[in-house]
Amino acid sequence: MLAESVFHTDALARRDRFGSWRERFTDTLAPSEITSPRADDFWARQRLVHLEDAWLWPVSLCASRYRRTPRLIRQSDPELLHMTLVLPGSGAVHVDHNGHRSANAPFDLYFLDTSRPYDVRSDGDSPLVGVGVEIPRSRLQLPDAGALSGVLGRRLSGRRGFGALLSQFLVQLSDETSAYELSDAPRLNGVLLDLVAGLVSRELDAEAALPPETHTRNLVLTIRSFILRNFRDPRLTPQTVAAAHHLSTRHLHRLFQPEGVTVAALIRHRRLEQARRELADPALLGLPVQAIAARCGFTASAHFSRAFRGAYGDSPSEYRHAEQRGVSLSTVRGTASPRGTSAIPAG
């Protein structure tokens, strides 16, 4: 499991809650002047996940304000780039930073530089819900540090392009930290850095200055996300994936060679995993196996049955019957993924 610590005010005396949160926030990000209209009745919940040299922290807390002043910067500066993804349930988050002012709603993103003053506050008496990320500024590969000025404090979309990829990654990782081993942290850290660099560079129109290896990793992540969104389409093949990204099929295959999986295998894996989930879903018990196969992108029932048996060791019908009896074949067999696909990470 990834290294993780949990903080919540529930178990603290009411008089100690706000002070404890101020200390926790200072240790997480950087010293700031923190105020709240509910300081006497404060609540906060935070998890802090360590990914090598970056930190991820899902958080929900009541209305509050954070001001980083020049005096506090002179006293202590960890030289971090901070990013917040605002999540549903949050009120608007108002940011005043580096000459930019923005009001951020759920699935918006904004960046802060701890070396520059900022003022961040949640809207009125609304809670603040989101995922914070801390990255050493030196780890972000950009043409020059001054380029960041163009994104600091701005409202960026987490619903399209690299913003959507980054949002999906943060939400999934926040929700499923137990699905990863401690040894996965360096790779997850690399994915996070690449996605942040891709988003910042696209916003700055500086993508051409990124290192070639970052370009390649960003393109692979984009293709994985495309497959995840479109795997139900029976017309999805390596050829159509390549065409959608203006690549030759040969170039597409070269991109995925270091991944240890072919594009065809990745598509098949997504389809089989979705079919397995739907076969085990009691709400879909009345849906014929052939219909589930079609829903998941398989055009021929016989091909689906052979692929499913090859992946899980039983036919789709046998698997469904066992799941309905409460016997999980994945538990009995010691695997919940199709055979030969254990190296395929979530995209």
Side-chain angles (χ1 to χ4, degrees), residues 49-209:
V49 184
H50 187 205
L51 294 182
E52 194 177 43
D53 55 7
W55 294 87
L56 183 81
W57 47 286
V59 67
S60 58
L61 67 156
C62 65
S64 42
R65 182 176 184 177
Y66 305 82
R67 295 181 63 245
R68 183 147 169 82
T69 64
R71 177 182 60 81
L72 291 173
I73 293 170
R74 289 193 298 270
Q75 288 179 358
S76 173
D77 184 13
E79 298 184 352
L80 295 173
L81 178 67
H82 167 83
M83 184 193 73
T84 289
L85 166 65
V86 183
L87 291 178
S90 180
V93 181
H94 299 270
V95 177
D96 186 350
H97 185 43
N98 201 50
H100 295 134
R101 292 184 176 181
S102 62
N104 299 271
F107 292 108
D108 287 337
L109 298 147
Y110 64 84
F111 286 95
L112 305 173
D113 182 346
T114 63
S115 298
R116 312 183 195 201
Y118 57 72
D119 187 345
V120 177
R121 60 180 175 83
S122 52
D123 193 15
D125 197 35
S126 301
L128 193 160
V129 183
V131 180
V133 176
E134 312 307 328
I135 299 171
R137 207 168 52 231
S138 60
R139 294 286 282 118
L140 197 63
Q141 298 185 50
L142 291 172
D144 75 87
L148 280 173
S149 296
V151 299
L152 296 176
R154 285 176 47 200
R155 175 186 178 184
L156 306 178
S157 174
R159 296 182 181 274
R160 63 176 184 270
F162 279 106
L165 287 175
L166 182 54
S167 297
Q168 292 165 13
F169 175 78
L170 293 175
V171 170
Q172 179 179 345
L173 185 54
S174 298
D175 290 345
E176 300 183 7
T177 53
S178 61
Y180 301 96
E181 302 293 335
L182 190 60
S183 58
D184 294 324
R187 186 175 186 184
L188 293 169
N189 188 78
V191 171
L192 174 63
L193 292 174
D194 286 338
L195 288 174
V196 171
L199 173 62
V200 171
S201 297
R202 179 61 59 87
E203 292 293 332
L204 296 174
D205 198 24
E207 192 172 5

Side-chain angles (χ1 to χ4, degrees), residues 8-21:
H8 61 81
T9 56
D10 299 357
L12 299 175
R14 182 171 296 183
R15 64 179 180 277
D16 298 329
R17 292 176 182 177
F18 186 55
S20 296
W21 170 247

